[in-house]
DNA sequence: CTGTTAGCGCATTCAT
DNA sequence: ATGAATGCGCTAACAG
């Protein structure tokens, strides 16, 4: 038979309530009593039943993570970050794949809450922007934190990187190498980060006094094929770019492929840069310079906010991983 | 206030026990009563409390999935498959990253079981081969199913693909194209699939009457760098292979990089093949021919076995995705 | 600082 | 085919 707090209380010579106090780290328990109880717990290898705790108490010691089909790499980073923080808190994690396209999503989330009474919810992109879900969570009074939300920023605590600054940094890096004709491939139109990355690109050009040329900017949608298409157009221009900065790595991989086909050496003839959205960079050849996003840390921090109850918007720093961008051909001589 | 079965029973004009019967799909409830109850449930938007169910009953309506650092792609496929099957069964999924290197793993799993009383556990590679975990689960009488176990095959139900046959198929494909000198890069030594893939390679050669040449086989460890190293050695041979079959796609990507560096065209000068362990294939250039593993289906099927209680070992079919292997240069005319 | 009493929302056992 | 009583293991609200 599995031991219960009753057994523990008997062995420790205290009431069940006192055991409960120790379990929940409540104050007003003497050092000595606490020790006795903890010894009894260790002795019996007692582990409290989640079911009983959540039925009797206000907390379930569980949190849910909502996510939708981003790249497996992204999901993995997110899960790892959230899970790590949950472990520290002694809380279990409920994985909840979601379909933001489904009109039932909010209802499913509502049922999840009712069934499990989770203590809080972490929303990762793109579920962060499902208004119906936010409404549902608020209607039920469930705390939630969002990772890189695209809209409704004031509705909850959130954690994000600075996409504008990251794109600015990367563009500035290319400019500092000597590039003046820098192609840019915009990300998917529905993705807020796309606008921000474009903005950062423009800001860096402005600051350097390089005129913005619309023909160096192409629309993509975050996948390999759109990167290929945009790369082809950019390299067909009369005065083609000496560097191409794609809004993510899938598109950057597309550009690399196009360069291959044309016999361009990378980065000798063309420097290619991107973000590490899918962690492709380390497996590509020729190499890619990328913005390393702190996805795991974002998830970890977001979960921390959930537990602390703070309402804030945190920014976490990114990092430039230079691996394959050089000076433009003209000044390499 | 959240509705309970008490409210439902009042509205339906039956006892709480009858509501419980409907909830659990028990027999001996008249059609008419069942309908009335279901209407009441829908009317109140009643959702049963998981905590109360698992505290009172024998089932928790939760299963746990144990996994360790494989590629994010692998984990994602596994999770999706398991989760999909769980949804069909109305069961929640507890994500449980594990560290097979930790001596505490079995204990952590034991605590998980005690805390949550999960109805069953799915083990994915490499947790499948953590003997201490199997012992712990059996000691507690918790049903479990393993996905592609490497050892102790008789201890539980399992689901797997046929790695021998898959490697055989791929090798045969290359032979049929006209290749006679086929390089092979073995996977990580601790991975059972590595042996099997090597065996399949040899079997196909034998059947075709092609002598096995040890110098065409190199040891790798499933990562990009080991693929590069092995590729270099193979292409430096006096009579180099016209095709290289790597035991996974990370290593195959390494081979592609080496080919690039040497100015070899792929697949014109060299055909490269692999498995889709990390789903790299679609993002690589030049293209790669791969064995598509039914990872998602394996997970789905494994979860089904958990619910059915059957004790069997199932094999699921793989698929060859030919995308970039051609006849060897010598017979391309 | 510690104990007592009650009850969370269900499934179970045993009735009928 | 349905209902009544009991308790799962814990925490809440109080009392001391």
């Amino acid at each position: 038979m599995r031991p219960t707090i009753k057994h523990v209380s008997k062995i420790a010579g205290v009431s069940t309530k006192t055991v409960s106090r120790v379990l929940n780290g409540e104050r007003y328990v003497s050092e000595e009593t606490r020790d006795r109880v903890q010894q009894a717990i260790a002795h019996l290898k007692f582990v409290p039943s989640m079911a009983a705790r959540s039925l009797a108490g206000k907390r379930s010691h569980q949190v849910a993570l909502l996510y939708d089909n981003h790249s497996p790499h992204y999901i993995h980073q997110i899960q790892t970050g959230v899970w790590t923080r949950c472990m520290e808190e002694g809380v279990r994690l409920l994985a909840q794949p979601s379909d933001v396209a489904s009109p039932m999503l909010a209802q499913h989330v509502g049922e999840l809450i009712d069934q499990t009474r989770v203590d809080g919810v972490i929303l990762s992109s793109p579920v962060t922007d499902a208004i119906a879900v936010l409404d549902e969570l608020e209607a039920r009074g469930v705390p939630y934190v969002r990772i890189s939300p695209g809209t409704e920023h004031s509705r909850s605590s959130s954690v994000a990187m600075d996409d504008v600054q990251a794109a600015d940094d990367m563009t500035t890096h290319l400019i500092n190498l000597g590039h003046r004709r820098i192609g840019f491939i915009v990300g998917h139109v529905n993705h807020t980060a796309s606008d921000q990355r474009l903005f950062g690109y423009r800001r860096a050009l402005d600051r350097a006094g390089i005129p913005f040329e619309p023909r160096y900017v192409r629309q993509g949608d975050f996948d390999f094929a759109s990167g290929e298409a945009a790369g082809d157009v950019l390299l067909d221009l009369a005065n083609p770019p000496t560097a191409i900065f794609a809004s993510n790595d899938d598109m950057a991989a597309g550009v690399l492929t196009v360069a291959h086909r044309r016999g361009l050496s990378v980065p000798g003839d063309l420097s290619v840069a991107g973000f590490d959205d899918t962690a492709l960079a380390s497996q590509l050849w020729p190499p890619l310079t990328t913005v390393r996003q702190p996805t795991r840390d974002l998830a970890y921090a977001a979960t921390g906010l959930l537990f602390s109850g703070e309402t804030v918007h945190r920014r976490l720093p990114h990092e430039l991983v230079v691996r394959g961008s050089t000076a433009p051909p003209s000044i390499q001589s």
Side-chain angles (χ1 to χ4, degrees), chain A residues 111-307:
Chain A
E111 287 171 1
L112 171 71
I113 305 301
D114 286 341
Q115 270 189 28
T116 64
R117 293 186 120 9
V118 287
D119 300 330
V121 178
I122 304 285
L123 304 188
S124 69
S125 175
V127 191
T128 43
D129 303 331
I131 310 285
V133 171
L134 307 189
D135 292 342
E136 193 78 22
L137 292 173
E138 284 164 21
R140 286 182 162 69
V142 178
Y144 67 96
V145 177
R146 292 182 293 160
I147 302 171
S148 308
T151 55
E152 310 275 310
H153 295 277
S154 60
R155 288 183 73 165
S156 75
S157 282
S158 66
V159 180
M161 70 174 289
D162 191 336
D163 277 287
V164 174
Q165 188 58 49
D168 184 331
D169 288 350
M170 178 63 85
T171 308
T172 299
H173 162 73
L174 295 170
I175 292 170
N176 288 345
L177 288 174
H179 292 277
R180 288 299 174 271
R181 303 194 305 277
I182 303 172
F184 187 83
I185 307 178
V186 185
H188 196 284
V189 286
N190 286 341
H191 206 302
T192 315
S194 298
D195 297 336
Q196 299 183 328
R197 292 173 188 179
L198 176 59
F199 186 84
Y201 162 78
R202 296 196 58 163
R203 192 171 74 185
L205 292 182
D206 285 352
R207 196 175 46 245
I210 300 175
F212 171 74
E213 298 208 30
R215 64 198 192 105
Y216 285 149
V217 175
R218 303 297 307 174
Q219 181 67 51
D221 60 9
F222 279 150
D223 70 8
F224 185 86
S226 68
E228 280 183 289
D232 262 325
V233 173
L234 289 171
L235 294 173
D236 277 340
L237 291 176
N239 227 337
T242 59
I244 295 182
F245 178 17
S247 290
N248 81 336
D249 49 4
D250 265 342
M251 298 195 297
V255 174
L256 290 181
T257 295
V258 169
H260 270 138
R261 288 213 199 94
R262 294 171 174 243
L264 291 176
S265 111
V266 175
D269 301 323
L270 177 75
S271 288
V272 183
F275 280 70
D276 69 346
D277 273 1
T278 67
L280 257 180
S282 61
Q283 290 144 327
L284 287 177
W285 186 264
L288 203 58
T289 290
T290 53
V291 174
R292 175 173 297 148
Q293 304 178 78
T295 310
R296 214 200 98 121
D297 296 340
L298 292 177
Y300 182 90
T303 312
L305 287 186
L306 192 60
F307 294 133

